[in-house]
Amino acid sequence: AHPECAQRLTAAVDAAFRPTADRMAVEAGVARDARAYALAMSMCASAYPRGRATGPCSQLSEVQWATLDPDNVVPWLAAATRASAAGDRAAHEAAMRGAARATSSRVYLFELQHAAQHPLLATAPPPVRLAALTDLMGINSAMVLPPLGAINAYCGKSMETDSARRRDCASMAEALMTGSTLIELGIGERLAARAGWPEEKRRPIRDKVDAMN
């Protein structure tokens, strides 16, 4: 496709999802629910690429998400990524400390599939059910994974000579390996290897990844 046509198509798709993203952002702000907030963050990231959110989506923040879900490593890593992009070293360090304290990993990618099985939809008239499922499919297709890349820089070579950072990274690896997606498990297993976990402790995670594949 011609580059200009591709750009126009991408812009049109993004614009089509913005009303839904804004509505989800409003509802997430009212509900104060970690799952709703995570879904709204994902939808807003899709509808407003490169952090250019406006309206209700601009009111969401990774730090607020982490406050609602403090035991989840994912929003802390997303907050660290945001802080790093803004050049805020103190906020980045604070977010990585939060990530090190987390003991679980949840990206909530499967919440919309669960919604499709709601009893209200199962008993709805066929036209209503079809419309609702079509909407859910559209929203699901627009969802994007939260950024987890902050862990790569933080747990790089400096970890080899910094025992405190190595402990933090090992803790984050353990949290990520409780996740339900290949990207969480894959990053967690690689990080565990870098942090010095023995082979026998990492093998069950690799077996789980193989089973998922």
Side-chain angles (χ1 to χ4, degrees), residues 15 71 104 126 130 138 164:
D71 192 45
S104 60
L130 177 60

Side-chain angles (χ1 to χ4, degrees), residues 3 9 28 32 40 42 50 53 97 99 107 115 167-168 185 201:
L9 177 60
R32 312 293 292 174
S42 177
R50 294 175 293 280
R97 287 195 299 273
V107 297
R167 284 194 299 272
D168 285 350
L185 295 173
K201 192 174 180 180

Side-chain angles (χ1 to χ4, degrees), residues 53-194:
T54 60
C57 278
S58 67
Q59 302 304 307
L60 301 183
S61 77
E62 291 83 359
V63 172
Q64 181 59 43
W65 177 18
T67 301
L68 292 171
D69 204 6
D71 192 45
N72 183 2
V73 70
V74 174
W76 290 114
L77 292 176
T81 300
R82 174 77 68 178
S84 180
D88 191 335
R89 187 172 180 177
H92 177 269
E93 289 294 324
M96 293 308 292
R97 287 195 299 273
R101 291 192 298 270
T103 61
S104 60
S105 183
R106 296 180 294 276
V107 297
Y108 298 110
L109 278 185
F110 303 112
E111 294 303 307
L112 291 175
Q113 285 91 325
H114 296 159
Q117 298 169 1
H118 195 282
L120 285 176
L121 277 182
T123 57
V128 174
R129 178 175 168 78
L130 177 60
L133 291 177
T134 301
D135 283 346
L136 285 173
M137 287 175 62
I139 295 171
N140 189 64
S141 68
M143 290 294 171
V144 296
L145 275 167
L148 302 176
I151 206 165
N152 293 322
Y154 188 82
C155 298
K157 286 191 175 181
S158 61
M159 182 179 69
E160 298 173 6
T161 56
D162 186 334
S163 60
R165 181 167 292 201
R166 190 160 57 250
R167 284 194 299 272
D168 285 350
C169 293
S171 178
M172 285 184 265
E174 195 149 7
L176 282 165
M177 289 190 292
T178 69
S180 59
T181 66
L182 285 171
I183 189 168
E184 293 165 280
L185 295 173
I187 293 175
E189 197 278 329
R190 288 195 300 273
L191 184 57
R194 217 181 298 165

